[in-house]
Amino acid sequence: VYNKFMKTFSETLQELLDERQLSVKDLQEYLQYADPSPIYFWLRDQKGLKLDTAVKLADYFGCSLDYLMGKREFEEKNAQFKPCPPFGEQLKRVLKEKGVSQYKLAKETEFKGGHFYKWFHQGSIPQMDTVSRLADYLEVSLDYLVGRE
């Protein structure tokens, strides 16, 4: 699942760069990376990315996280996205809204107490494959789960 997820992301990222006639250097400058290596790793489907970086990329390209990560086939034109609240806070809101306790989530998925502690109390930022699995479980879009829509 992870490899398919990242392969779709790498393909979408390359398409977005090509469509907008942007280079890896352009993206490197926007992300303020000293080294372009992480971008090349993404394009070669060799490295995951964290939620905060995915949001920066989606903002840069003006697209949804769902489109960027290959969960939606078409790009939404003129979509407006809100700044994301801290992940732990937003996840608590969505869990409450869906009537899912941390216990139920832990029991029915691979996410255990350590994950919740890191997200809710330490402000840890998850990898996008983790966010995707949570969105699938909760039956919400990535953008909804992270508070962008």
Side-chain angles (χ1 to χ4, degrees):
V1 173
Y2 171 78
N3 287 341
K4 182 180 183 290
F5 179 75
M6 288 310 299
K7 182 171 179 15
T8 305
F9 162 67
S10 65
E11 291 169 357
T12 303
L13 180 59
Q14 186 63 62
E15 286 173 16
L16 287 166
L17 288 170
D18 293 346
E19 285 173 8
R20 289 162 172 80
Q21 299 180 332
L22 296 167
S23 68
V24 168
K25 183 156 181 58
D26 294 326
L27 198 52
Q28 175 189 349
E29 289 173 5
Y30 172 76
L31 293 171
Q32 299 178 345
Y33 284 4
D35 177 9
S37 295
I39 300 164
Y40 286 114
F41 285 132
W42 299 332
L43 290 169
R44 287 191 301 258
D45 178 27
Q46 294 177 327
K47 185 177 181 185
L49 74 157
K50 288 192 165 222
L51 171 60
D52 57 343
T53 304
V55 169
K56 285 179 190 173
L57 289 171
D59 287 347
Y60 182 65
F61 291 112
C63 66
S64 69
L65 283 174
D66 294 279
Y67 179 78
L68 179 67
M69 303 312 297
K71 290 175 108 17
R72 196 174 282 160
E73 196 170 325
F74 299 101
E75 191 174 353
E76 308 76 27
K77 300 294 181 200
N78 303 316
Q80 298 292 314
F81 300 101
K82 300 184 288 191
C84 296
F87 180 72
E89 288 177 21
Q90 181 64 15
L91 179 58
K92 281 183 189 177
R93 278 188 212 107
V94 175
L95 289 173
K96 184 176 181 178
E97 176 186 305
K98 292 288 186 174
V100 176
S101 67
Q102 290 177 38
Y103 174 77
K104 180 178 179 179
L105 183 61
K107 186 176 173 189
E108 295 180 356
T109 69
E110 76 276 15
F111 303 111
K112 304 303 173 214
H115 290 98
F116 303 124
Y117 185 80
K118 288 178 186 173
W119 298 330
F120 298 156
H121 303 290
Q122 294 179 335
S124 178
I125 299 168
Q127 292 285 330
M128 279 308 297
D129 63 314
T130 298
V131 177
S132 179
R133 289 194 313 269
L134 285 167
D136 289 348
Y137 174 80
L138 295 166
E139 299 178 335
V140 296
S141 71
L142 294 171
D143 294 283
Y144 187 83
L145 179 59
V146 304
R148 285 183 88 220
E149 63 176 40

